[in-house]
Amino acid sequence: MARYEVIGGKPLNGAVTISGAKNAVVAILPAAILVNGVCRIENVPDISDVRILLSILEGIGAKITREDGTVEIDSTDIHSTCPEPELVKKMRASYYLMGALLGRFGKAHVALPGGCNFASRPIDQHIKGFAALGADVEETEEYVALQPGANGLQGNRISLDVVSVGATVNIMIAAVLLPGQTIIENAAKEPHIVDLANFLNTMGAQISGAGTDTVKIRGVEALQGGTYAIIPDQIEAGTYLAAVAAAGGNVLVKNVIPKHMECITSKLAEMGAEIINYDDAIRIRCDGKLHHTTVKTRPYPGFPTDMQAQICVCMTLASGVSRLTESVYETRFFGYCSELESMGADIQINGKTAIVTGADRLYGSTVTAKDLRAGAALIIAGLAAEGTTYVKNIHYVERGYERLIEKFTGLGAQIRRIED
Ligand code: EPU
């Protein structure tokens, strides 16, 4: 088991380049199996979720070549609709294989996914979508099996009961090659939904409305190969911004789409960080003196739940009392708040709201990451703290942050990976 050692108390300075978006690439790689021919996908981050997904695709017959950040996928010879369950269970987004295999072959047999378990994460809206498209669904405690129902598969109108990124993605992928039109109402609007639509449209799909709450997919007969570059990762960028806010410093965060960052940068500015937006970069300067604030997580364009833990660390060091309300995954606080308390933070959880009273400083401690973003937050806390912090369970962090040690050390942080 490896862990990170973080020696805190040093401001961060310099520049960091943001990688391709995890939550876009984990949707786009499965969607690539709809394409007849070779998809060349650029700006693919080297993270463990991507490595697992590529192994799953290879296991069902896709030919994969990978060089630096570019992946080529040739799905011509895919021969199985039953991806290796042990790999599928290792990550969350493997559930996009349900929509992808249903769309390409009309059937799928996919184990239930694993990944970060910071909350109960139902997939009833995905299933509702597949059924509306005409699939017969068999759902057990182990897997989901899909096959064409009595009237075959075709486009339909689906209104989601909750705004779900995963269900929106899965239904989009499943519907691209079906006859007729599919309309997803109450769809998620995250940047990665738009990225998926742009990828599929580049390959010949007809999707409109991505990024609004109504996505329309007009079925086409086939998709052809092409080249597509993944957008920068909003949450990775937000994590580095939050790290500078908490530890202090002056950093240029490069390769970002500032529009995607507004929900995060506006809060950091409110807390006292200086933010300067450029076309594809953001400079943040902070003297480490932060003011309290109020944040409520919401689906995009609101403040992302995936930044809840990182902004919480900033709040633990801000003057006064901050309020942080979670409206997407209620139990997410339990992944890291007690760990932050062991570092000297003062956090009271009251239902969906954490009341965070700012402390003068945090102190190094040994803490355990319980999910990906919780792990990122503990690293930030370690960077801002006095003394040495050890972060355990770092496999969660490695699921979603490319070259994290290299990027932070490039900013002057004292952080290293220790193999126990
Ligand atoms: N929900 C349902 N039924 C469903 C699906 C979702 O009730 O069928 C509920 C969930 O319980 C939750 C809400 O709807 O309360 C939103 O869930 P959503 O489906 O949007 O989440 P997800 O697709 O499982 C993705 C990201 C998460 C991110 C959430 C919210 C991927 C692979 N994962 O998860 O990212 O937290 O959207 O934005 O895209 C992360 O990157 O660390 C991460 C966990």
Side-chain angles (χ1 to χ4, degrees), residues 22-23 95 121-125 164-166 306 328-329 373:
K22 170 181 89 78
N23 288 344
Y95 56 24
R121 300 179 75 184
I123 58 164
D124 56 298
Q125 299 301 303
S164 160
V165 171
D306 291 344
V328 182
Y329 286 114
R373 307 304 173 186

Side-chain angles (χ1 to χ4, degrees), residues 172-255:
M172 283 168 69
I173 296 175
V176 163
L177 295 176
L178 297 188
Q181 183 170 232
T182 296
I183 299 178
I184 309 172
E185 286 163 348
N186 201 24
K189 298 184 276 215
E190 268 65 8
H192 30 289
I193 303 283
V194 179
D195 208 35
L196 172 67
N198 288 341
F199 162 75
L200 288 166
N201 285 343
T202 302
M203 306 296 149
Q206 287 190 18
I207 301 175
S208 59
T212 75
D213 51 19
T214 305
V215 179
K216 294 185 179 165
I217 304 124
R218 188 167 289 285
V220 294
E221 290 207 344
L223 301 182
Q224 62 283 329
T227 298
Y228 189 79
I230 304 286
I231 52 166
D233 196 310
Q234 177 206 32
I235 306 299
E236 188 199 10
T239 300
Y240 285 98
L241 291 169
V244 180
N250 179 349
V251 169
L252 186 66
V253 182
K254 300 196 295 189
N255 189 37

Side-chain angles (χ1 to χ4, degrees), residues 2-6 365-369 374-376 378-380 382 389-394 397:
R3 61 198 160 120
Y4 293 142
E5 178 190 76
V6 189
S365 176
T366 295
V367 288
T368 303
L378 296 174
I379 293 166
I380 296 175
T389 296
Y390 293 97
V391 181
K392 300 202 297 191
N393 262 6
I394 61 171
V397 179

Side-chain angles (χ1 to χ4, degrees), residues 136-175:
D136 257 358
V137 182
E138 182 195 350
E139 199 185 354
T140 73
E141 283 180 3
E142 289 290 312
Y143 63 83
V144 171
L146 306 168
Q147 57 179 350
N151 297 320
L153 297 167
Q154 56 191 314
N156 200 352
R157 182 181 286 269
I158 298 147
S159 180
L160 297 179
D161 302 324
V162 289
V163 179
S164 160
V165 171
T168 305
V169 166
N170 238 337
I171 298 166
M172 283 168 69
I173 296 175

